[in-house]
Amino acid sequence: MSYEDVRLYELIQLAKKGNTKAIFEIILMFENYIDKNCYINGCFNQECKDYVIDRLLIEIKKFKKF
């Protein structure tokens, strides 16, 4: 397992407990990927990005065992 994998695992564990800094770091880790996939009809859509981030946070909280 790489350092990035271990770090992500640790951040997810903290985020599940409500650690705001960990949540922010996870978003930053994936921000480029999220941005790249939030284009509608060739234009970046902030509402889409907000939705993706909201769903990411909801799904992290649902993790039972990681």
Side-chain angles (χ1 to χ4, degrees), residues 13-58:
Q13 295 302 317
L14 292 170
K16 283 179 53 173
K17 296 176 184 172
N19 183 302
T20 306
K21 184 179 179 200
I23 292 168
F24 184 69
E25 285 188 50
I26 291 169
I27 293 169
L28 285 178
M29 286 176 84
F30 291 97
E31 188 169 33
N32 289 338
Y33 179 77
I34 293 168
D35 287 350
K36 192 166 88 173
N37 289 284
C38 289
Y39 281 81
I40 298 175
N41 297 324
C43 296
F44 178 76
N45 186 293
Q46 183 64 43
E47 188 175 326
C48 178
K49 180 179 179 177
D50 295 341
Y51 175 79
V52 170
I53 290 171
D54 286 343
R55 292 302 310 170
L56 174 65
L57 299 177
I58 288 167

